[in-house]
Structure formats: structure tokens, C-alpha cells
Amino acid sequence: MSRKTFLSAALSLSLLAVTVVPTAVVAKPGKEKPLLTFPVISDIHIQSWDPRSHQKFKAALSDLRTINPEADALVINGDLTNGMPADYAKLSELMIENAHPRKVFYTMGNHEYYKAWIDKKGSWNADAFPNGETEQASIGRFLRFSGGKKVYGDEVVNGFRFIFLGSEQYRQSDPANLEDAWLSAEQLQFLEASLRKGAASGKPVFVFLHQPLPGTVSGTNFCCVNNRAIVQHEELTKILSAYPQAILFSGHTHWELKLPGTLVRDKFTMVNSSSVIQPWTDNGNGGEMLTGPEESEGLYVEVYKDKVSIKGRDLYRKRWIPEADFTIPWSVKD
């Protein structure tokens, strides 16, 4: 089953080696307490009519709560919905009904623009794209849900800087954008300024963008990234490369976390977060394929005074993924 077929059905419905060591999940008596804890999930693809998407998301929130009911934040890194008003309404309902960290941060994925593929009858209609939908309407719908003023911004949580990026254009502006993130010069300037502030403390800086940089984490040499994934990928790479303490989390590829490219470190760190709704994997023949229909994955992050622990979570079986267990050392400069 191709990715294109899967997405249509859903709508009508390495570089350098990384240190990998086991880390504690939640501090126990006598153990060091983390300075910061937060899960990162992506690609939940909530659709109002699809109970499977609702159940998988509820199961993910429930499992993450069993790991740590007092996590400092939750990041949902893009592809929250398929862009329909009813999808956002359902997601709002699920967030109200299911326990989660008090602070929740969202980024805008390419599927947040997907109302443009749906006609007035509620059917997928690529021939009539954009079906009367504007990019600003899609962005406005996301911002009303997330409570943000722009698709990018930053927050400080427990003294650590979180930077959120998001695509400001879709195919209406330029058909060549495809599913890639489009980042304005203003957004890139904002990123650089925010990174500078975060780096002044010597602490790790956490950056979130739905689409990954090309040729980096697992899945970025395949169909859904168009060999680019981010229109301004060269500019973004240059900015991030000046900040070795930057850790960029991405989704979009859906590639499962046990694969070797889940975490890649070059001049900064990049991490793939797989997918809650449906992970994909390497088919062994230069392509990709679906994993089992029940599969669901995400990340859990703990920050200590000298390291960042990033652990992959099997949200279906409620267990850790041993191949996705990473430690990134760091230290604060006086």
C-alpha cells in the first residue's frame, strides 16, 4: 500500500554516531529528579468521523500519563487534524475529556492545510483544489485552536527555551511547495534571535517543526519529503548549525523509532518522533511500507543537570523501545 493510497483513504475516511545508554524514566527515591520532563508526539491525524484516530490519541495520552502524571509539558508536533472545523472540534473535546500536562504546545503540519482538498459536499476533490479554501483560513483555524498569534513562537518552561516553527504557505501560493514547510525570512530571523537567547544560558534549546530536514533522520530520503521537506532547508540548517545545543524534533515521515536514523547528530541534534496514528518503516528494498495497524509511537524527554534523555515509547504495547534510548550530554557554563 503506497503512502499516497493510505493518505487518500484516510481523507476519505548516518551522519555521526550518538551515545545510547539506558536512562531512568521517572525519578525514584534517592534518584536524581529531572529538571524538565515532556513527551513529544506527532501525526495524530484526528478526524471527526474516524473513531480509530480518537482511540489511538486517547490511548497515547493515557499511557504517557502512567509514565509521569506530572510532566511539565506536552508537545504535539504537527498533523493534528485534516484541517476541517469538525476535526478541531473533536480534538478540543478529546483534550477536555482526557488528562494531560497543563502546558500543551502545538505546531502546524501540512495536513492542517488539507481542507483545500475537500469540496462543499465533503468529498476529496483534487481537481477543484483549493475548493475555495485559502491558506490564511487554514492558518486561522489552527491559531484559534492553539491559542497562538503566529504559526511560530517560543516559550520558556522550567528555564529551558522551546521554539516552535510552522509552515506559512501551502500549494495555493506555489504548487511547487507540495507538502514542504515554507518559512518566511521573518520566521528564520525570529528563530535565530530565540536560539541566541536560549544559548546564552548554556542549556539545551528545544526546537519543533513538523517537517524534517532532508537527508537526516529516518524516512527523509523517501516520497513524503520530496527530497526537500522544507523549502528553506539550507537557510534553516545554517542557522541551527551555529547552535550545538539545539535539538530539533520533527514528525511527518511516520517512520518507526527502532530504525537507526531516529536520532542524528551533526552540528546539532535531530530527532524523529514517528506517529501516533500509523508508523511506517523501511521495506528493505529502497522504499517504505506500513507497520501493523495497531502500532502507535512517541517520545518521552527528561532533562537533567548534565544530560538530556530521549526515549522512544511503544504507545500500543505500553513499553519502551530499546533501540530508541538516547542520552545527549550537556553542562551549564557559569
Side-chain angles (χ1 to χ4, degrees):
M1 184 181 189
S2 70
R3 180 181 296 275
K4 182 177 179 182
T5 301
F6 171 73
L7 290 176
S8 296
L11 281 163
S12 63
L13 112 209
S14 192
L15 293 173
L16 300 179
V18 184
T19 304
V20 181
V21 297
T23 54
V25 180
V26 179
K28 298 178 180 179
K31 297 290 185 178
E32 180 185 2
K33 183 179 179 180
L35 304 174
L36 172 70
T37 60
F38 61 96
V40 181
I41 58 176
S42 71
D43 300 273
I44 61 176
H45 292 277
I46 298 297
Q47 296 179 88
S48 62
W49 52 267
D50 180 14
R52 178 172 169 267
S53 68
H54 312 161
Q55 185 54 45
K56 281 199 166 187
F57 182 55
K58 290 192 291 184
L61 292 180
S62 176
D63 183 48
L64 292 170
R65 187 166 177 80
T66 64
I67 297 170
N68 184 2
E70 299 180 353
D72 297 299
L74 166 66
V75 179
I76 305 181
N77 200 13
D79 281 4
L80 318 177
T81 68
N82 270 340
M84 302 298 288
D87 298 343
Y88 283 109
K90 185 62 184 180
L91 179 53
S92 295
E93 177 185 313
L94 291 169
M95 293 299 290
I96 291 170
E97 293 176 349
N98 294 272
H100 55 76
R102 184 174 62 85
K103 293 181 180 178
V104 183
F105 303 111
Y106 307 93
T107 65
M108 187 158 186
N110 53 306
H111 275 248
E112 271 62 71
Y113 286 103
Y114 267 33
K115 188 176 184 296
W117 297 102
I118 306 300
D119 62 24
K120 292 181 179 180
K121 297 179 180 180
S123 300
W124 174 268
N125 192 339
D127 292 337
F129 180 90
N131 289 287
E133 174 77 353
T134 66
E135 292 165 342
Q136 284 308 310
S138 295
I139 291 172
R141 206 170 290 118
F142 167 78
L143 293 179
R144 284 190 294 275
F145 170 78
S146 66
K149 295 181 179 179
K150 296 181 179 180
V151 297
Y152 58 92
D154 59 2
E155 295 282 345
V156 175
V157 182
N158 292 11
F160 293 85
R161 186 166 294 269
F162 286 48
I163 304 174
F164 308 99
L165 306 178
S167 182
E168 298 166 81
Q169 284 187 10
Y170 191 54
R171 302 188 189 207
Q172 291 97 320
S173 288
D174 184 350
N177 285 338
L178 299 176
E179 303 302 303
D180 301 339
W182 190 94
L183 312 178
S184 66
E186 291 76 14
Q187 182 170 179
L188 293 171
Q189 290 167 5
F190 161 81
L191 169 64
E192 190 159 19
S194 189
L195 281 167
R196 193 180 307 117
K197 292 176 184 176
S201 66
K203 297 177 181 179
V205 180
F206 303 104
V207 184
F208 305 89
L209 174 62
H210 178 67
Q211 289 91 337
L213 286 161
T216 58
V217 295
S218 52
T220 52
N221 294 307
F222 289 84
C223 70
C224 66
V225 298
N226 312 312
N227 297 316
R228 182 176 65 172
I230 302 162
V231 176
Q232 295 80 10
H233 64 91
E234 293 178 346
E235 297 94 321
L236 181 59
T237 300
K238 182 178 179 180
I239 292 169
L240 289 168
S241 294
Y243 296 92
Q245 59 272 79
I247 302 175
L248 174 66
F249 292 88
S250 61
H252 193 52
T253 71
H254 288 224
W255 272 42
E256 64 177 339
L257 297 176
K258 71 179 183 181
L259 298 173
T262 289
L263 188 147
V264 172
R265 185 165 179 82
D266 191 1
K267 295 178 181 177
F268 58 98
T269 302
M270 292 156 276
V271 192
N272 165 48
S273 59
S274 187
S275 167
V276 169
I277 187 66
Q278 180 61 73
W280 289 64
T281 194
D282 191 335
N283 68 4
N285 295 307
E288 59 179 1
M289 63 182 183
L290 287 166
T291 59
E294 301 302 324
E295 302 299 325
S296 183
E297 296 182 340
L299 300 173
Y300 179 73
V301 183
E302 293 179 318
V303 184
Y304 295 87
K305 64 182 180 181
D306 59 353
K307 63 188 177 185
V308 176
S309 165
I310 302 175
K311 297 170 70 70
R313 185 71 174 178
D314 180 335
L315 299 167
Y316 168 51
R317 297 173 185 84
K318 306 182 187 303
R319 67 190 186 192
W320 300 109
I321 300 170
E323 298 90 343
D325 191 343
F326 309 100
T327 294
I328 305 168
W330 72 280
S331 60
V332 177
K333 298 178 180 178
D334 292 334

